[in-house]
Amino acid sequence: MNKKYRKAIIAGNWKMNKLPSESRAFVEELKPLLPRSKKKVCEVILCMPYPFIPIAQRGSKEKRLALGAQDVSAHDSGAFTGEVSAAMLKDIGCKYCIVGHSERRQYHGETDSEVNTKVHKLLEAGISPIICVGESLEQREKELTLDFVAYQVKAAIAGLGPKEIKRCVIAYEPIWAIGTGKTATADQAAEVCNGIRAVIRSMYDARVARSVSILYGGSMNPSNCAELLSKPDIDGGLIGGASLKVADLAFMINATADGAAGEDEGEAE
Ligand code: 13P
C-alpha cells in the first residue's frame, strides 16, 4: 500500500471557537490520549486562532502534537493592518497553516491566485501548507466536481517544484459537507481524493504523487472516520466541530494511527 510513503494526519481546525486560555488545558487533556507507539504513526495538528498558538505551545514538550494556523498573509511585511505573515507564524512555532479554506474563499473573497501566493510564502518560511479545495452542492449536482477540484489544485500549487509539493498537504472539503452534519460518502470522498492524486501525478510523477498526504474534511466524526480512512487515497482528516472535543479528537487520532500502523504492501496509488 502506498500509504507507507506518506504521513497519516489528523488536523483539527478550531475555526473561531474557544478562548486562548482554554487551549493549554485542551492540549494537556489530549496528551495522555495520544498514541503511544514509538513509531510516529499519525501526525496530529491543531490549527488554532493566532493568539492561542503561543499559549498552547508554552511549556509543552509534546513532540507528538504540531500547531498550525488557519490563514496567512500573502505579503511579507509592512502596512497590511490585521495581517499575520508566514515569518511571524514560523517564529511562534507553527509547522502547518491552512490556506484556501472555503470559508475564507466565501467570506473574505480569497482567490486561487492568492491561495497560490500564500502557499509559496509558507513554504519559503518553512511551514507546510494545508491546501483546501472542494466543490459547492450546485457544482456536485452539475457533475462538475472532479474538474473543479482539479482546477483548484492546479491553481494552488502552480510553480511548485517536486520537493515543495511533497511538503504540502491537500484537504478535500466539499462545501456542502462542512458544518452541516452531511458527510460525503466514503466512495464520494475517495473518488475526489483519487482524482487529486491523479492531478499531482500528471503534474509531477507517480513517486511525487504517492508521497503527498490527502485529507478529507466535512462533518468527519468518530462514527464515520474509520470508513473514510479505509480508502487508499484518504490519508486522514481535517476536522472542524469534532476537533473541539478532546474525546472525539483522540478517538479519531487513534483510529487513524491504528489504520496507519496496520498498513502494509500492495495497493493502488
Ligand atoms: P466540520 O468538521 O465542522 O464540518 O468542518 C470541516 C472543516 O471545515 C475543517 O476545515
Side-chain angles (χ1 to χ4, degrees), residues 3 55 94 98 140 183 203 228 261:
K3 280 194 177 182
I55 298 172
C94 275
I98 295 171
R140 175 157 285 272
T183 322
M203 291 174 75
L228 287 159

Side-chain angles (χ1 to χ4, degrees), residues 79-151:
F80 298 101
T81 302
E83 296 273 274
V84 173
S85 73
M88 292 174 190
L89 294 180
K90 180 72 180 170
D91 198 54
I92 57 168
C94 275
K95 288 199 171 150
Y96 291 88
C97 180
I98 295 171
V99 269
H101 193 282
S102 61
E103 287 151 17
R104 295 220 61 90
R105 295 181 194 255
Q106 189 179 345
Y107 306 134
H108 303 273
E110 189 165 78
T111 63
D112 286 313
S113 139
E114 277 166 335
V115 171
N116 180 244
T117 305
K118 291 179 180 191
V119 166
H120 282 268
K121 294 288 175 203
L122 288 169
L123 289 167
E124 279 162 27
I127 296 172
S128 288
I130 302 175
I131 303 164
C132 299
V133 293
E135 82 287 2
S136 64
L137 189 56
E138 199 188 346
Q139 286 167 321
R140 175 157 285 272
E141 282 167 351
K142 290 185 176 156
E143 298 185 0
L144 296 171
T145 299
L146 289 176
D147 285 345
F148 179 70
V149 169
Y151 170 82

Side-chain angles (χ1 to χ4, degrees), residues 134-189:
E135 82 287 2
S136 64
L137 189 56
E138 199 188 346
Q139 286 167 321
R140 175 157 285 272
E141 282 167 351
K142 290 185 176 156
E143 298 185 0
L144 296 171
T145 299
L146 289 176
D147 285 345
F148 179 70
V149 169
Y151 170 82
Q152 281 187 317
V153 170
K154 284 181 194 164
I157 65 178
L160 299 188
K163 283 202 178 117
E164 292 166 312
I165 182 67
K166 283 183 183 179
R167 292 165 51 209
C168 296
V169 176
I170 305 210
Y172 166 54
E173 299 206 311
I175 297 170
W176 50 272
I178 295 176
T180 57
K182 262 193 196 172
T183 322
T185 65
D187 285 339
Q188 283 174 326

Side-chain angles (χ1 to χ4, degrees), residues 11-15 17 98 101-103 130 132 171 173-175 177-182 216-221 237-244:
N13 175 7
W14 279 9
K15 308 192 178 183
N17 290 298
I98 295 171
H101 193 282
S102 61
E103 287 151 17
I130 302 175
C132 299
E173 299 206 311
I175 297 170
I178 295 176
T180 57
K182 262 193 196 172
Y216 168 77
S219 300
M220 194 160 166
N221 60 48
L238 179 56
I239 299 153
S243 75
L244 296 166

